[in-house]
Amino acid sequence: MLLNEILALSAEHLWLVAVAVITAAAIAGPLAVLLTRHARPRRWTLAAVNVIQTIPSLALFGFLLPLPLIGGVGKRTAIVALVLYALLPILRNTVVGIMGIDPHVRQSAVAMGMTDSQILRSVELPLAMPMILAGLRIATVTTIGTATIAAAIGGGGLGTFVFRGIAMVDTKTILAGAVPAALMAITADEVLEWVERRFSV
Amino acid sequence: MNGLPEANINYDGPMAALVEFQSLTYEIAGRAVLRGIDLRIEENETVVLLGRSGSGKTTLLKMVNRLLEPSSGAVLFSGKSVTASDPITLRRGIGYVIQEGGLFPHQSVAQNVGLVPWLQGWPEDRIAARVRELLEAVGLSAAVYAGRYPKQLSGGEKQRVGIARALAADPPLLLLDEPFAALDPITRFEMQQHFSRLRKAYGKTALFVTHDIREALLLGTRIALLHEGRLDVVASPDDFLRTESVHARAFLATLNEWSPN
Ligand SMILES: Nc1ncnc2c1ncn2[C@@H]1O[C@H](COP(=O)(O)OP(=O)(O)O)[C@@H](O)[C@H]1O
Ligand SMILES: [Mg+2]
């Protein structure tokens, strides 16, 4: 019975994390590429995303609740908050990964007559890939943790056990949420690190 | 400047310069890096741009393939202003070799050398054949080196690959920015000899940047001495040895200064 609920909530948790990380990557990836081409917006965008990261997660969930469209109790608000958190590591690692490429390599690419999109696809993204994947890994692992708090605003997932356990002052119930979440984080870390190594030059 | 007539082989009509700098000036951060550069480079020449570091050699080289654009004046390539040309097409027709190699670390030697042909959409088998030919031409066994990655190469091997890459799509002009400066003296000497033979065999025009007077005398059909952004002397190696310019003499004075003590 409990096992069934653990499995169901784990699946829900994983789904929350996957939707949030994929959405964040879809936003942060292209944005990061744009930012590598424009110095001024790069500085203030990274600063803004940095600030979001410093807001305590429970507070961020609280801030989002009263907002129209994205707010309200439920999964959607939870996912919006998780996306906001996942943006920074992906954005920052992609920008740093591309900006950190040996300038002589980029200069050669330009001098040989590669177009900007050829440079991006054939030089910058492959060379930055280990950094980009590291950003994705950090985003995934932290989102697995943060997602437990999503239950506070009706997001579901393994946090449901944690909050129920706190309310009932029942350590076993808290652990039923915390342990699977920790295992999920460790597994994600290992798997993504393996992928990262395969891509390193 | 020298007033010697150029050796005109197959002269028919006014000789077209492959590259021509016209009253070229480049300023950055309120400073004139290049001032009033006038220079014509004919086909099959190797013009060596000689100068101390900071004299503007790299900047002048980058004007040709539009990595930088002149503040005033013009650069003509095959008679056409480079700023009026499509930069992508222009660059694919000009080989570029730098001291640091600039090889793509994530690509094999074969992929690096075949890059421009690949950009130009050559069929795979033609690229492969061209890569093999060029690796052998620069003195690297294709069987041994084609599959290697840049980090598995010595400095001299990297520069050989860099030259093969620059030659791959058969551009009429090569720009070389101190390509051998980081090599040990013996490797450097081998590379200079090899480059000289290769350039003649492929009939390429070259604009070759160096701060090494020996290299300039060895490789240049003409030497253009750049001093603080101005052309001080343009002369054949023989004439360069006899020039009165103090800046040229300062370079020449470094030639025979070794004495045991
Ligand atoms: N982006 C830049 N900003 C300011 N000064 C520059 C820049 N690029 C080059 N310079 C200056 O232009 C001069 C010529 O540089 P460069 O062409 O690299 O010389 P060289 O290749 O002969 O050593 C140097 O004094 C250098 O400091
Ligand atoms: Mg230089």
Side-chain angles (χ1 to χ4, degrees):
Chain A
M1 199 58 226
L2 177 66
L3 187 67
N4 276 346
E5 204 183 357
I6 289 178
L7 285 178
L9 289 178
S10 292
E12 191 178 43
H13 199 88
L14 202 58
W15 181 83
L16 272 177
V17 171
V19 171
V21 172
I22 290 168
T23 309
I27 298 168
L31 181 61
V33 169
L34 275 177
L35 292 182
T36 59
R37 274 124 178 98
H38 305 280
R40 208 174 310 172
R42 177 166 66 241
R43 236 168 292 141
W44 60 253
T45 308
L46 285 177
V49 179
N50 248 322
V51 168
I52 296 178
Q53 200 78 4
T54 62
I55 304 173
S57 44
L58 204 50
L60 183 62
F61 286 120
F63 288 140
L64 289 175
L65 276 180
L67 294 184
L69 292 172
I70 56 167
V73 170
K75 284 201 168 44
R76 195 176 41 195
T77 313
I79 287 171
V80 169
L82 293 177
V83 167
L84 286 175
Y85 279 116
L87 283 177
L88 178 71
I90 303 173
L91 193 71
R92 191 176 45 200
N93 275 40
T94 307
V95 169
V96 170
I98 291 177
M99 304 285 293
I101 294 170
D102 179 355
H104 296 114
V105 169
R106 188 180 286 98
Q107 195 192 34
S108 290
V110 175
M112 279 184 297
M114 296 181 90
T115 62
D116 192 49
S117 75
Q118 286 168 335
I119 293 173
L120 181 67
R121 274 182 290 124
S122 305
V123 180
E124 292 180 318
L125 289 181
L127 286 174
M129 199 44 77
M131 271 297 266
I132 297 171
L133 291 173
L136 273 173
R137 177 169 57 84
I138 297 162
T140 306
V141 172
T142 52
T143 304
I144 291 171
T146 316
T148 55
I149 298 168
I153 53 161
L158 289 164
T160 310
F161 279 130
V162 177
F163 284 100
R164 192 191 299 163
I166 291 170
M168 297 170 9
V169 201
D170 174 12
T171 315
K172 248 192 255 165
T173 308
I174 296 178
L175 287 177
V179 171
L183 289 177
M184 200 182 284
I186 292 167
T187 311
D189 196 40
E190 289 294 325
V191 169
L192 293 173
E193 206 177 328
W194 177 81
V195 176
E196 218 173 292
R197 269 199 306 274
R198 300 219 31 176
F199 272 90
S200 62
V201 183
Chain B
M1 311 257 165
N2 81 333
L4 295 176
E6 293 297 326
N8 288 350
I9 319 150
N10 300 330
Y11 183 86
D12 53 15
M15 188 105 157
L18 187 61
V19 180
E20 185 169 354
F21 298 100
Q22 294 177 334
S23 320
L24 181 100
T25 299
Y26 181 73
E27 284 162 22
I28 187 155
R31 235 187 91 223
V33 173
L34 294 171
R35 321 181 221 203
I37 304 287
D38 283 293
L39 182 66
R40 288 166 59 90
I41 299 163
E42 314 288 342
E43 277 177 31
N44 258 310
E45 273 197 291
T46 299
V47 171
V48 171
L49 276 176
L50 177 68
R52 302 179 67 165
S53 54
S55 57
K57 306 182 295 295
T58 297
T59 308
L60 187 57
L61 207 63
K62 287 180 176 173
M63 299 280 155
V64 182
N65 60 359
R66 256 185 103 173
L67 294 181
L68 295 173
E69 298 200 354
S71 305
S72 68
V75 185
L76 309 187
F77 177 62
S78 294
K80 192 178 172 202
S81 168
V82 295
T83 46
S85 314
D86 168 48
I88 301 299
T89 318
L90 174 82
R91 290 170 187 150
R92 288 182 190 173
I94 300 176
Y96 190 64
V97 185
I98 56 178
Q99 180 183 332
E100 299 81 2
L103 300 178
F104 295 168
H106 61 301
Q107 293 192 349
S108 69
V109 164
Q111 285 174 305
N112 268 284
V113 174
L115 184 80
V116 182
W118 175 74
L119 291 174
Q120 293 184 337
W122 291 21
E124 293 288 336
D125 51 345
R126 190 169 156 221
I127 297 177
R130 180 70 177 163
V131 167
R132 273 195 304 277
E133 177 202 335
L134 280 166
L135 285 178
E136 303 291 343
V138 297
L140 296 175
S141 151
V144 175
Y145 287 92
R148 289 210 189 165
Y149 282 80
K151 67 179 170 197
Q152 300 168 310
L153 303 176
S154 72
E157 288 162 348
K158 278 186 194 148
Q159 291 313 81
R160 286 174 199 269
V161 174
I163 290 173
R165 180 174 69 172
L167 286 168
D170 206 22
L173 175 69
L174 296 180
L175 303 176
L176 304 104
D177 195 349
E178 309 200 19
F180 310 141
L183 306 178
D184 71 75
I186 297 167
T187 309
R188 187 186 314 154
F189 187 64
E190 284 169 8
M191 293 295 289
Q192 288 163 346
Q193 306 285 323
H194 201 99
F195 171 76
S196 182
R197 283 199 302 276
L198 209 60
R199 192 199 64 78
K200 286 190 195 108
Y202 281 91
K204 299 298 175 199
T205 309
L207 189 53
F208 191 110
V209 163
T210 186
H211 58 241
D212 177 351
I213 175 71
R214 286 167 194 279
E215 190 165 70
L217 291 167
L218 189 67
L219 297 180
T221 51
R222 282 192 299 159
I223 298 171
L225 177 62
L226 205 56
H227 183 77
E228 293 179 358
R230 285 182 210 280
L231 277 181
D232 185 57
V233 178
V234 181
S236 69
D238 285 341
D239 291 334
F240 193 86
L241 288 170
R242 291 191 291 267
T243 174
E244 299 293 316
S245 151
V246 288
H247 306 305
R249 300 252 50 108
F251 268 106
L252 292 166
T254 66
L255 280 176
N256 292 309
E257 286 301 297
W258 184 79
S259 61
N261 44 28

